[in-house]
Amino acid sequence: MINRSTSAKLFEKAQTYFPGGVNSPVRAFKAVNGVPLFIEKGDGCRIWDADGNEFIDFCNSWGPLILGHNNPVVKKHAFETIENGTSFGAPTRKENELAELLISNHRFIEKIRFVSSGTEAVMSALRLARGYTKRDKVLKFEGCYHGHADALLVSAGSGLVTLGESASGGIPKAFADQTIVCPLNSKEAVLEAFNSYKDQIAVVIIEPIPANNGLLIQGREFLQFLRETCTANGTLLMFDEVISGFRVGFEGAAGYYDIIPDILSFGKIIGGGFPVGAYGASKEIMSQVSPDGNVYQAGTLSGNPVAMAAGYSMLKECLKPGFYQGLKAKTDKLVKEVSEYATSKGYDFRMFSVESIFWLAFTDKIEIRKASEINPSSMQYFKKLHECLLDNGVYLGPSGYEVGFISEAHTDADIDLAIAAFKTALDYAFL
Ligand SMILES: *Cc1c(COP(=O)(O)O)cnc(C)c1O
């Protein structure tokens, strides 16, 4: 195992300050071997930990860093903005600039509201959906993550269509009862839910490319079915594009599948590596938001100018011709070569991908579309793979349920190095 002695010391200290030693649970490395690595710096596709170990990074801060670390253009714009102060609690030009860039390049947003995280975006959008439809219930899918708002931190009970069961302490049953949970990729379940809760469902929320519990790629047909079912029932369709937005193309999954949702939520990439979230919809729906309408939502640091500047610069790069094709070509190469190697060795392993998102699945299934199709015991292989990848200079998010991301900063040579590391790590995992 690589030397983690400095990280181990820092982690010991951190455990005296923070629950589990971290400020977000998955960082604690509980699902893999060893102590979490404390990161000192990042540049391009590489990161360095406190012990001086160097890695090719496929976590990219869980997705935001589509240009890699420390991108010079983003950094320059953020620095220039900081020169003039960091926050005013009053409107700034930077908010207009980012909004204009977004709205003029995204067919499905007419108006937007900036907030400070993905969770906040989703939470606010749900309130808007409820306010707009004057209905209370929300339908979500098992295996989709939407941040930690009460209404969505629920999991399915036993049965095809169930009211949510709190997936966390501190969520009143009465809140969880407002959320209906269905399995992904099941029209039958959705129809049953609409039957049982007729005229009560305000919004159907889905990660159109579910990427928080493995990569559970849905067929376009299922998403189209949701669109039609929502329209027929006076229910809003919300795409939570916190990961997929600006990742699978500038217009995210809505553009990728060419399906028009009623509300969209964003996070991750939109802030250029700073804490930003946003929700957007048609002018009509957004007119319900305060101060135009009576759905209240506010934020002291919302639309923070430094974060707006970073987001603007990052998204501007994404709009350059060939940007997304370049990411996809690199991802396809990684996926193809690693998958072919695994097949040649007879390993039960597949790499699933959409554009520049990939997921390592220890399975012999050709496709996995539902959370229940993931075998929890397969995670023992991920654990070994993760450790061996670190030993060979590749950093992945520390859980087998998480996806990886390719950034613009990964060169073909970096991908080749990573492919070699994956082959070594697969041999080790299946030893
Ligand atoms: C990350 C994520 C969130 C939560 O965003 P935070 O910024 O972590 O609060 C919500 N929805 C999806 C789809 C996400 O991937």
Side-chain angles (χ1 to χ4, degrees):
M1 224 194 243
I2 46 163
N3 174 21
R4 302 192 198 182
S5 55
T6 311
S7 283
K9 277 191 206 119
L10 289 166
F11 188 50
E12 218 177 282
K13 262 261 130 111
Q15 281 172 299
T16 69
Y17 302 135
F18 314 118
V22 289
N23 286 298
S24 195
V26 74
R27 296 180 194 172
F29 267 50
K30 285 211 161 176
V32 293
N33 293 324
V35 296
L37 303 180
F38 277 60
I39 306 303
E40 289 285 328
K41 70 167 188 176
D43 197 59
C45 74
R46 287 187 163 66
I47 52 173
W48 288 265
D49 71 10
D51 289 287
N53 301 305
E54 176 180 324
F55 306 96
I56 298 175
D57 179 21
F58 290 106
C59 176
N60 288 292
S61 188
W62 303 104
L65 304 180
I66 197 167
L67 306 179
H69 298 271
N70 213 10
N71 177 272
V73 181
V74 176
K75 188 163 76 175
K76 183 161 175 278
H77 197 184
F79 278 175
E80 282 168 9
T81 309
I82 288 180
E83 292 286 350
N84 293 320
T86 58
S87 181
F88 308 102
T92 66
R93 190 188 294 274
K94 301 283 179 199
E95 291 151 82
N96 284 7
E97 287 168 0
L98 180 54
E100 187 190 354
L101 185 77
L102 294 172
I103 290 169
S104 59
N105 289 288
H106 196 302
R107 279 171 295 164
F108 310 124
I109 327 169
E110 287 181 357
K111 274 198 176 178
I112 196 159
R113 171 60 67 81
F114 291 120
V115 294
S116 298
S117 72
T119 295
E120 203 189 343
V122 171
M123 190 177 81
S124 311
L126 277 195
R127 182 177 304 143
L128 172 59
R130 286 168 158 159
Y132 181 78
T133 58
K134 305 201 167 38
R135 297 177 179 180
D136 289 341
K137 289 218 174 348
V138 168
L139 190 158
K140 86 171 281 276
F141 294 93
E142 182 78 353
C144 286
Y145 176 70
H146 302 291
H148 64 84
D150 285 339
L152 297 169
L153 216 52
V154 299
S155 47
S158 49
L160 188 59
V161 177
T162 56
L163 292 179
E165 292 180 359
S166 309
S168 157
I171 298 176
K173 185 171 178 305
F175 291 11
D177 279 350
Q178 298 304 319
T179 306
I180 303 158
V181 188
C182 289
L184 282 161
N185 192 39
S186 171
K187 293 183 186 176
E188 187 196 350
V190 172
L191 290 174
E192 190 180 314
F194 273 97
N195 240 334
S196 305
Y197 302 100
K198 197 154 179 48
D199 299 332
Q200 295 177 53
I201 304 175
V203 59
V204 169
I205 177 172
I206 187 168
E207 279 183 86
I209 299 175
N212 276 290
N213 188 76
L215 185 61
L216 305 173
I217 302 168
Q218 303 299 291
R220 182 185 187 279
E221 198 210 339
F222 180 66
L223 297 172
Q224 181 62 37
F225 158 81
L226 293 181
R227 173 66 284 175
E228 286 158 15
T229 308
C230 284
T231 306
N233 287 279
T235 296
L236 300 182
L237 176 64
M238 174 168 165
F239 278 4
D240 180 1
E241 298 236 34
V242 172
I243 284 190
S244 53
F246 318 106
R247 168 57 68 181
V248 301
F250 199 88
E251 290 181 321
Y256 185 82
Y257 290 113
D258 200 21
I259 291 176
I260 309 174
D262 299 299
I263 307 188
L264 297 112
S265 52
F266 301 104
K268 302 197 166 100
I269 293 174
I270 202 171
F274 287 83
V276 180
Y279 59 104
S282 65
K283 285 179 189 159
E284 189 203 332
I285 293 175
M286 291 303 280
S287 73
Q288 303 295 308
V289 179
S290 59
D292 280 350
N294 71 353
V295 176
Y296 191 72
Q297 186 269 309
T300 302
L301 293 169
S302 291
N304 174 267
V306 184
M308 295 288 108
Y312 178 89
S313 291
M314 189 177 278
L315 290 171
K316 195 96 182 152
E317 295 294 309
C318 297
L319 283 167
K320 290 189 172 159
F323 178 81
Y324 290 103
Q325 288 89 325
L327 292 184
K328 182 174 191 301
K330 287 184 280 190
T331 315
D332 288 350
K333 180 176 177 189
L334 176 73
V335 169
K336 179 167 180 286
E337 294 201 17
V338 175
S339 301
E340 280 176 2
Y341 180 76
T343 305
S344 76
K345 290 283 191 152
Y347 301 149
D348 282 343
F349 174 84
R350 271 175 199 281
M351 250 169 128
F352 294 103
S353 71
V354 182
E355 296 289 315
S356 57
I357 308 172
F358 67 84
W359 178 50
L360 313 173
F362 293 85
T363 181
D364 58 357
K365 296 193 173 92
I366 312 169
E367 53 181 39
I368 297 191
R369 295 198 195 269
K370 282 187 172 73
S372 60
E373 290 166 1
I374 302 175
N375 176 2
S377 70
S378 70
M379 294 300 156
Q380 64 181 328
Y381 293 102
F382 179 81
K383 217 169 174 171
K384 293 178 80 179
L385 181 104
H386 187 266
E387 181 184 335
C388 187
L389 281 176
L390 290 178
D391 290 344
N392 286 276
V394 168
Y395 187 90
L396 289 182
S399 159
Y401 289 94
E402 303 287 350
V403 295
F405 300 96
I406 305 282
S407 77
E408 195 200 26
H410 290 93
T411 64
D412 286 334
D414 297 318
I415 298 292
D416 285 337
L417 285 172
I419 289 167
F422 272 104
K423 289 179 180 174
T424 305
L426 278 171
D427 289 342
Y428 177 74
F430 283 98
L431 200 69

